[in-house]
Amino acid sequence: MKIHAAVARAPHMPFSLESLDLEEPREGEILVRVVATGVCHTDIVMRDQHLPVPQPVVLGHEGAGIVERVGPGVAKVVPGDHVVMTFNSCGHCPSCNDHEETYCHEFFPRNFFGARADGSSGLSYRGERVNGNIFGQSSFASHALCHERNIVKVPEDADLALLGPLACGIQTGAGAVMNALKVEPGRVLAVFGMGSVGLAAVMAARIVGASRIIAVDVNEARLALAAELGATDIVNGKTGDAVAAIMALTGAGVDYAIDASGVPAVIDQCVRVLAPRGTCGIVGASPHGATLTLDLTHILSGGRRVRGIVEGDSNPDVLIPLLIDLHRQGRFPFDRLVTFYDFADINRAVEDSEKGIVLKPIVRQPAA
């Protein structure tokens, strides 16, 4: 079938809007008519080859839409179901067997290699292969092929155009608090980086009852929004020493810190503000090969911990419906992070994101 898609053909270059051929769903695959897709920093990283994703490629990994057809063996959804597409996993490695799919041993091949498990791609342009299956979906397109393992059925009365970011960025920030770190009521949390991931963490921390939520950034507007969304304290790392400010606020330091920047110097600050037995969770994507130097005595002497967190340690079939329900209750207003664009304006959406003009762009497909 013919679809419309945004194709990345060269690093740092605009997406090319093209008409592509998409195969029919194979066994275990699901054809989704995409309603809208969130634009994530990871898409830009892949486009610019900081992660070596093969090009030409259709990116997009925060898709939401309606099931049109299913391949043989699919039982999870039927045509007409409303769905969110999230990260993919293999289903048979030790991590998947332990229900820890975010640490699937095949996470990179299943999400970043631009191909199905057998090496094929369902996309082509005039006979030329176009790489697809990014995060098991490649949803910068009018239609996407996904899999039972990375599709989540959502209520039909929920606004599909809004839901895509729950698949990755929002899920990552909220899940880091709720699932990975398991922040307890009355504890103190610092979040470094007030993009959509960091702000999702702030909102989740308020939900779980953290007594002090410290938001750190260099952008006053984002810090002001963090205060509206639940931060009890704000620290501008541009106008002063963030570590000194946090220690002055807390005395002993924080129980938990989350880095949503991916900047090694900022991660170091996250670790330095930990109280004894505190944990730092790293959720920000760093450039490939980036390294981190830490004060090992500080970590050892206080029993402090540093860990990576992928997709918020999420079970998407559980967390995404929960976040939708919390949003309905007015307790998780992630819609305040969103700016909508027409799909034809995807390059402007990416540019506005790169410039920090918007927090979470969502590109919407024309109405069917």
Side-chain angles (χ1 to χ4, degrees), residues 6-341:
V7 183
R9 290 189 173 270
H12 306 286
M13 295 299 292
F15 290 105
S16 173
L17 298 179
E18 302 178 15
S19 176
L20 303 181
D21 291 305
L22 179 66
E23 293 180 0
E24 289 296 311
R26 296 182 179 182
E27 183 171 359
E29 291 185 336
I30 300 154
L31 176 67
V32 175
R33 178 176 65 79
V34 178
V35 170
T37 307
V39 176
C40 179
H41 176 67
T42 304
D43 292 307
I44 300 170
V45 167
M46 288 188 282
R47 180 200 66 180
D48 295 342
Q49 297 290 280
H50 298 303
L51 286 170
V53 173
Q55 295 181 339
V57 63
V58 175
L59 303 173
H61 63 281
E62 293 183 341
I66 300 172
V67 175
E68 284 204 345
R69 290 192 287 282
V70 300
V74 172
K76 189 175 184 180
V77 293
V78 298
D81 282 345
H82 289 205
V83 296
V84 166
M85 293 175 281
T86 185
F87 63 90
N88 200 14
S89 57
C90 75
H92 53 71
C93 69
S95 291
C96 288
N97 288 339
D98 288 340
H99 305 291
E100 296 281 358
E101 290 87 353
T102 59
Y103 304 104
C104 174
H105 290 206
E106 297 183 16
F107 192 90
F108 269 82
R110 298 278 175 162
N111 293 284
F112 292 100
F113 281 15
R116 298 180 172 110
D118 66 2
S120 66
S121 172
L123 293 165
S124 60
Y125 175 74
R126 297 179 180 176
E128 170 203 21
R129 175 189 170 112
V130 175
N131 295 290
N133 201 53
I134 296 298
F135 277 68
Q137 57 186 279
S138 289
S139 53
F140 282 165
S142 60
H143 294 76
L145 286 175
C146 67
H147 313 268
E148 276 199 302
R149 292 196 60 78
N150 72 313
I151 200 164
V152 178
K153 186 176 176 180
V154 298
E156 291 192 10
D157 59 348
D159 183 3
L160 266 180
L162 182 63
L163 300 185
L166 296 178
C168 184
I170 304 300
Q171 171 174 253
T172 295
V177 171
M178 296 174 163
N179 298 328
L181 299 180
K182 294 182 171 60
V183 175
E184 299 169 339
R187 299 292 188 176
V188 179
L189 167 71
V191 183
F192 288 70
M194 291 297 105
S196 58
V197 175
L199 288 166
V202 166
M203 290 186 284
R206 179 173 63 175
I207 290 169
V208 301
S211 63
R212 185 162 231 163
I213 306 165
I214 304 168
V216 186
D217 204 283
V218 296
N219 183 307
E220 283 291 348
R222 293 189 176 192
L223 288 169
L225 179 57
E228 294 175 19
L229 294 176
T232 59
D233 303 273
I234 59 174
V235 173
N236 190 324
K238 188 175 183 179
T239 60
D241 184 333
V243 172
I246 292 171
M247 298 308 291
L249 286 169
T250 61
V254 303
D255 300 301
Y256 308 96
I258 292 174
D259 172 71
S261 75
V263 178
V266 177
I267 299 171
D268 176 64
Q269 291 180 324
C270 286
V271 177
R272 287 163 58 197
V273 301
L274 291 177
R277 299 184 297 122
T279 302
C280 169
I282 301 171
V283 302
S286 302
H288 183 66
T291 60
L292 178 65
T293 300
L294 297 174
D295 183 337
L296 297 181
T297 301
H298 177 68
I299 295 173
L300 176 64
S301 63
R304 297 172 177 90
R305 290 167 287 185
V306 181
R307 60 156 299 188
I309 300 171
V310 177
E311 298 288 353
D313 283 14
S314 172
N315 177 342
D317 286 315
V318 175
L319 183 61
I320 289 175
L322 172 63
L323 295 179
I324 293 171
D325 190 46
L326 289 168
H327 177 259
R328 283 173 162 168
Q329 297 173 28
R331 300 171 62 197
F332 191 73
F334 73 96
D335 56 290
R336 296 193 59 188
L337 314 182
V338 164
T339 303
F340 288 107
Y341 296 79

